Amino acid sequence: MQKTLYIGSAASLVLLILLCVTWELALAPLRPGGSWLVLKVIPLLLPLRGVLKRDLYTMQWSSMLILLFFAEGIVRGTSDQGLSATLGWAEVVLTTIFFTCTILYLRPFKKAAKKLAQQAIQKASK
């Protein structure tokens, strides 16, 4: 199960990066020939290495970062027309997959850390 969740996180992040680049350069850019809005992909590149290496800390903060792209997808899905709106909804789907897979992947690690902390507190209080 953990491997599937990891693959879901990593794959959805890579696909989201590819979607954002192709969206703003070729599929439906704000201006013909491409848009500087393609630079929005830079924040997604920051956690890529850590997510691919299964770094727990990176996965934690990237699950919060992805919510910015979820919000953008909702806005563009509801306000844009045609292909751009469809791409906005695709962004929503990919961010939802990333968020869900990442949170579920991290869950056992968080439970183990909490259990260790409780044991340390109990040991220290004796």
Side-chain angles (χ1 to χ4, degrees):
M1 181 67 167
Q2 287 297 97
K3 185 177 181 179
T4 304
L5 292 170
Y6 162 72
I7 290 170
S9 291
S12 61
L13 180 60
V14 169
L15 288 172
L16 183 60
I17 291 168
L18 293 174
L19 172 73
C20 289
V21 169
T22 56
W23 181 357
E24 300 303 340
L25 289 181
L27 296 176
L30 290 177
R31 297 178 187 191
S35 165
W36 281 99
L37 198 54
V38 73
L39 296 176
K40 73 180 181 185
V41 79
I42 291 173
L44 291 174
L45 295 173
L46 297 174
L48 181 60
R49 182 176 180 208
V51 169
L52 293 176
K53 290 176 73 177
R54 300 179 190 205
D55 180 67
L56 299 179
Y57 180 72
T58 302
M59 293 182 85
Q60 287 175 0
W61 67 259
S62 65
S63 68
M64 296 297 108
L65 170 73
I66 206 75
L67 297 176
L68 295 170
F69 290 85
F70 176 81
E72 184 211 16
I74 293 289
V75 169
R76 294 194 65 183
T78 57
S79 64
D80 288 1
Q81 302 295 319
L83 180 59
S84 187
T86 303
L87 294 172
W89 291 117
E91 185 176 27
V92 168
V93 169
L94 288 172
T95 56
T96 302
I97 292 169
F98 179 84
F99 183 80
T100 304
C101 287
T102 301
I103 294 300
L104 292 176
Y105 177 81
L106 292 170
R107 191 173 188 190
F109 298 104
K110 297 293 260 178
K111 280 185 178 180
K114 186 175 183 179
K115 185 176 180 181
L116 278 174
Q118 287 174 344
Q119 289 173 350
I121 290 170
Q122 288 175 351
K123 189 174 182 181
S125 65
K126 290 182 180 180

